[in-house]
Amino acid sequence: PVFPWCRSRPIGKISQNLIVSQKRLIIFEMIRSFQIPPMLYRITGNGINEAMVVTADGELLGTSHRRPSPKHSHKATLITDITLDYIRLGNELNQRQLIYSEMEMSENTIGIASAGPECFVIAIADQNIEAGLLKTRVTACAAHVKGSLMPLTDAS
């Protein structure tokens, strides 16, 4: 078996749910590794104020802030919900999958890049950020996060 913890468990619906929940635990541990927050912090600057890694459920997995607050979690949930609405709309119109999206708000510009099947990298920047800088940094970070998740998503 691919997962050592399922050797002695019976095969069936219960063990499959256990495998899925244990995979999610591994993903959370991998995302919260000591390398992810410094990497997110590295893409900030030059107009980019904060960066986050979130699940498709809107759960905050990592942030560029040293001490994330509930405010960061609420932002992540709201931005992810809007992103999922765009993805659903794209699916209805038979469009390609989301790779990068940018939203201009009243005070900020938000860049969102797909970092795997159920993971996004989000960056919040100033309204007057240099053209292309946000997309370049967010997609590079998403590629790095996706690469670190690749062994887990290939096993599923």
Side-chain angles (χ1 to χ4, degrees), residues 38-56:
M39 182 196 54
L40 290 172
Y41 181 75
R42 242 182 282 146
I43 71 168
T44 61
N46 295 336
I48 300 175
N49 302 320
E50 60 185 291
M52 302 174 252
V53 176
V54 297
T55 66

PDB file of all heavy atoms in Angstrom, residues 38-56:
ATOM      1  N   PRO A  38       8.683  32.049   5.164  1.00  0.00           N
ATOM      2  CA  PRO A  38       9.726  32.924   4.616  1.00  0.00           C
ATOM      3  C   PRO A  38       9.610  33.102   3.100  1.00  0.00           C
ATOM      4  O   PRO A  38       9.895  34.173   2.568  1.00  0.00           O
ATOM      5  CB  PRO A  38      11.032  32.213   4.969  1.00  0.00           C
ATOM      6  CG  PRO A  38      10.703  31.360   6.133  1.00  0.00           C
ATOM      7  CD  PRO A  38       9.270  30.959   5.932  1.00  0.00           C
ATOM      8  N   MET A  39       9.167  32.052   2.400  1.00  0.00           N
ATOM      9  CA  MET A  39       8.989  32.161   0.961  1.00  0.00           C
ATOM     10  C   MET A  39       7.866  33.152   0.644  1.00  0.00           C
ATOM     11  O   MET A  39       7.983  33.967  -0.266  1.00  0.00           O
ATOM     12  CB  MET A  39       8.666  30.800   0.352  1.00  0.00           C
ATOM     13  CG  MET A  39       8.520  30.854  -1.148  1.00  0.00           C
ATOM     14  SD  MET A  39       7.706  29.430  -1.836  1.00  0.00           S
ATOM     15  CE  MET A  39       6.203  29.370  -0.911  1.00  0.00           C
ATOM     16  N   LEU A  40       6.782  33.098   1.404  1.00  0.00           N
ATOM     17  CA  LEU A  40       5.686  34.043   1.212  1.00  0.00           C
ATOM     18  C   LEU A  40       6.143  35.465   1.531  1.00  0.00           C
ATOM     19  O   LEU A  40       5.769  36.413   0.855  1.00  0.00           O
ATOM     20  CB  LEU A  40       4.488  33.662   2.080  1.00  0.00           C
ATOM     21  CG  LEU A  40       3.742  32.402   1.675  1.00  0.00           C
ATOM     22  CD1 LEU A  40       2.713  32.035   2.733  1.00  0.00           C
ATOM     23  CD2 LEU A  40       3.093  32.561   0.325  1.00  0.00           C
ATOM     24  N   TYR A  41       6.960  35.602   2.554  1.00  0.00           N
ATOM     25  CA  TYR A  41       7.469  36.920   2.919  1.00  0.00           C
ATOM     26  C   TYR A  41       8.371  37.473   1.812  1.00  0.00           C
ATOM     27  O   TYR A  41       8.389  38.666   1.556  1.00  0.00           O
ATOM     28  CB  TYR A  41       8.230  36.845   4.250  1.00  0.00           C
ATOM     29  CG  TYR A  41       8.754  38.175   4.702  1.00  0.00           C
ATOM     30  CD1 TYR A  41       7.893  39.126   5.235  1.00  0.00           C
ATOM     31  CD2 TYR A  41      10.097  38.488   4.580  1.00  0.00           C
ATOM     32  CE1 TYR A  41       8.366  40.358   5.645  1.00  0.00           C
ATOM     33  CE2 TYR A  41      10.574  39.718   4.982  1.00  0.00           C
ATOM     34  CZ  TYR A  41       9.712  40.650   5.513  1.00  0.00           C
ATOM     35  OH  TYR A  41      10.180  41.874   5.914  1.00  0.00           O
ATOM     36  N   ARG A  42       9.097  36.588   1.136  1.00  0.00           N
ATOM     37  CA  ARG A  42      10.017  37.003   0.072  1.00  0.00           C
ATOM     38  C   ARG A  42       9.302  37.639  -1.116  1.00  0.00           C
ATOM     39  O   ARG A  42       9.879  38.471  -1.810  1.00  0.00           O
ATOM     40  CB  ARG A  42      10.839  35.811  -0.413  1.00  0.00           C
ATOM     41  CG  ARG A  42      12.314  36.009  -0.185  1.00  0.00           C
ATOM     42  CD  ARG A  42      13.126  34.859  -0.709  1.00  0.00           C
ATOM     43  NE  ARG A  42      13.027  33.752   0.227  1.00  0.00           N
ATOM     44  CZ  ARG A  42      13.023  32.488  -0.089  1.00  0.00           C
ATOM     45  NH1 ARG A  42      13.101  32.115  -1.338  1.00  0.00           N
ATOM     46  NH2 ARG A  42      12.925  31.557   0.831  1.00  0.00           N
ATOM     47  N   ILE A  43       8.066  37.249  -1.385  1.00  0.00           N
ATOM     48  CA  ILE A  43       7.366  37.851  -2.526  1.00  0.00           C
ATOM     49  C   ILE A  43       6.731  39.183  -2.162  1.00  0.00           C
ATOM     50  O   ILE A  43       6.250  39.889  -3.044  1.00  0.00           O
ATOM     51  CB  ILE A  43       6.320  36.901  -3.167  1.00  0.00           C
ATOM     52  CG1 ILE A  43       5.115  36.697  -2.271  1.00  0.00           C
ATOM     53  CG2 ILE A  43       6.952  35.605  -3.585  1.00  0.00           C
ATOM     54  CD1 ILE A  43       3.954  36.022  -2.981  1.00  0.00           C
ATOM     55  N   THR A  44       6.734  39.545  -0.883  1.00  0.00           N
ATOM     56  CA  THR A  44       6.189  40.846  -0.484  1.00  0.00           C
ATOM     57  C   THR A  44       7.227  41.936  -0.737  1.00  0.00           C
ATOM     58  O   THR A  44       8.409  41.666  -0.909  1.00  0.00           O
ATOM     59  CB  THR A  44       5.761  40.851   0.997  1.00  0.00           C
ATOM     60  OG1 THR A  44       6.890  40.593   1.818  1.00  0.00           O
ATOM     61  CG2 THR A  44       4.680  39.829   1.255  1.00  0.00           C
ATOM     62  N   GLY A  45       6.787  43.160  -0.737  1.00  0.00           N
ATOM     63  CA  GLY A  45       7.654  44.305  -1.010  1.00  0.00           C
ATOM     64  C   GLY A  45       7.337  44.877  -2.369  1.00  0.00           C
ATOM     65  O   GLY A  45       6.630  44.259  -3.182  1.00  0.00           O
ATOM     66  N   ASN A  46       7.830  46.073  -2.638  1.00  0.00           N
ATOM     67  CA  ASN A  46       7.574  46.769  -3.912  1.00  0.00           C
ATOM     68  C   ASN A  46       6.084  46.874  -4.217  1.00  0.00           C
ATOM     69  O   ASN A  46       5.660  46.702  -5.346  1.00  0.00           O
ATOM     70  CB  ASN A  46       8.280  46.079  -5.078  1.00  0.00           C
ATOM     71  CG  ASN A  46       9.779  46.134  -4.966  1.00  0.00           C
ATOM     72  OD1 ASN A  46      10.312  47.023  -4.313  1.00  0.00           O
ATOM     73  ND2 ASN A  46      10.454  45.196  -5.578  1.00  0.00           N
ATOM     74  N   GLY A  47       5.298  47.112  -3.186  1.00  0.00           N
ATOM     75  CA  GLY A  47       3.859  47.277  -3.375  1.00  0.00           C
ATOM     76  C   GLY A  47       3.020  46.078  -2.992  1.00  0.00           C
ATOM     77  O   GLY A  47       1.811  46.187  -2.856  1.00  0.00           O
ATOM     78  N   ILE A  48       3.631  44.911  -2.816  1.00  0.00           N
ATOM     79  CA  ILE A  48       2.885  43.727  -2.369  1.00  0.00           C
ATOM     80  C   ILE A  48       2.949  43.694  -0.846  1.00  0.00           C
ATOM     81  O   ILE A  48       4.032  43.589  -0.267  1.00  0.00           O
ATOM     82  CB  ILE A  48       3.456  42.430  -2.982  1.00  0.00           C
ATOM     83  CG1 ILE A  48       3.384  42.500  -4.509  1.00  0.00           C
ATOM     84  CG2 ILE A  48       2.690  41.218  -2.458  1.00  0.00           C
ATOM     85  CD1 ILE A  48       4.024  41.330  -5.216  1.00  0.00           C
ATOM     86  N   ASN A  49       1.796  43.793  -0.204  1.00  0.00           N
ATOM     87  CA  ASN A  49       1.740  43.938   1.252  1.00  0.00           C
ATOM     88  C   ASN A  49       1.692  42.626   2.011  1.00  0.00           C
ATOM     89  O   ASN A  49       2.249  42.523   3.097  1.00  0.00           O
ATOM     90  CB  ASN A  49       0.528  44.786   1.638  1.00  0.00           C
ATOM     91  CG  ASN A  49       0.581  46.141   0.986  1.00  0.00           C
ATOM     92  OD1 ASN A  49       1.636  46.757   0.891  1.00  0.00           O
ATOM     93  ND2 ASN A  49      -0.558  46.608   0.504  1.00  0.00           N
ATOM     94  N   GLU A  50       1.000  41.636   1.478  1.00  0.00           N
ATOM     95  CA  GLU A  50       0.912  40.349   2.167  1.00  0.00           C
ATOM     96  C   GLU A  50       0.644  39.225   1.182  1.00  0.00           C
ATOM     97  O   GLU A  50       0.135  39.441   0.089  1.00  0.00           O
ATOM     98  CB  GLU A  50      -0.157  40.370   3.256  1.00  0.00           C
ATOM     99  CG  GLU A  50      -1.552  40.668   2.794  1.00  0.00           C
ATOM    100  CD  GLU A  50      -2.532  40.790   3.942  1.00  0.00           C
ATOM    101  OE1 GLU A  50      -2.825  39.762   4.586  1.00  0.00           O
ATOM    102  OE2 GLU A  50      -3.008  41.910   4.186  1.00  0.00           O
ATOM    103  N   ALA A  51       1.028  38.022   1.588  1.00  0.00           N
ATOM    104  CA  ALA A  51       0.823  36.827   0.771  1.00  0.00           C
ATOM    105  C   ALA A  51       0.309  35.706   1.657  1.00  0.00           C
ATOM    106  O   ALA A  51       0.654  35.637   2.839  1.00  0.00           O
ATOM    107  CB  ALA A  51       2.121  36.418   0.088  1.00  0.00           C
ATOM    108  N   MET A  52      -0.521  34.828   1.077  1.00  0.00           N
ATOM    109  CA  MET A  52      -1.121  33.731   1.829  1.00  0.00           C
ATOM    110  C   MET A  52      -1.205  32.480   0.964  1.00  0.00           C
ATOM    111  O   MET A  52      -1.287  32.580  -0.253  1.00  0.00           O
ATOM    112  CB  MET A  52      -2.544  34.088   2.258  1.00  0.00           C
ATOM    113  CG  MET A  52      -2.688  35.313   3.090  1.00  0.00           C
ATOM    114  SD  MET A  52      -4.428  35.690   3.371  1.00  0.00           S
ATOM    115  CE  MET A  52      -4.617  37.113   2.323  1.00  0.00           C
ATOM    116  N   VAL A  53      -1.220  31.335   1.609  1.00  0.00           N
ATOM    117  CA  VAL A  53      -1.534  30.069   0.955  1.00  0.00           C
ATOM    118  C   VAL A  53      -2.812  29.577   1.623  1.00  0.00           C
ATOM    119  O   VAL A  53      -2.897  29.513   2.847  1.00  0.00           O
ATOM    120  CB  VAL A  53      -0.401  29.031   1.128  1.00  0.00           C
ATOM    121  CG1 VAL A  53      -0.805  27.705   0.527  1.00  0.00           C
ATOM    122  CG2 VAL A  53       0.882  29.528   0.498  1.00  0.00           C
ATOM    123  N   VAL A  54      -3.821  29.265   0.807  1.00  0.00           N
ATOM    124  CA  VAL A  54      -5.115  28.844   1.329  1.00  0.00           C
ATOM    125  C   VAL A  54      -5.601  27.605   0.598  1.00  0.00           C
ATOM    126  O   VAL A  54      -5.188  27.334  -0.524  1.00  0.00           O
ATOM    127  CB  VAL A  54      -6.180  29.962   1.196  1.00  0.00           C
ATOM    128  CG1 VAL A  54      -5.813  31.175   1.998  1.00  0.00           C
ATOM    129  CG2 VAL A  54      -6.411  30.337  -0.245  1.00  0.00           C
ATOM    130  N   THR A  55      -6.483  26.868   1.253  1.00  0.00           N
ATOM    131  CA  THR A  55      -7.130  25.726   0.601  1.00  0.00           C
ATOM    132  C   THR A  55      -8.347  26.223  -0.159  1.00  0.00           C
ATOM    133  O   THR A  55      -8.770  27.372   0.005  1.00  0.00           O
ATOM    134  CB  THR A  55      -7.591  24.675   1.628  1.00  0.00           C
ATOM    135  OG1 THR A  55      -8.623  25.253   2.437  1.00  0.00           O
ATOM    136  CG2 THR A  55      -6.449  24.187   2.497  1.00  0.00           C
ATOM    137  N   ALA A  56      -8.931  25.363  -0.952  1.00  0.00           N
ATOM    138  CA  ALA A  56     -10.149  25.714  -1.680  1.00  0.00           C
ATOM    139  C   ALA A  56     -11.321  25.924  -0.723  1.00  0.00           C
ATOM    140  O   ALA A  56     -12.312  26.540  -1.091  1.00  0.00           O
ATOM    141  CB  ALA A  56     -10.486  24.632  -2.697  1.00  0.00           C
TER     142      ALA A  56
END
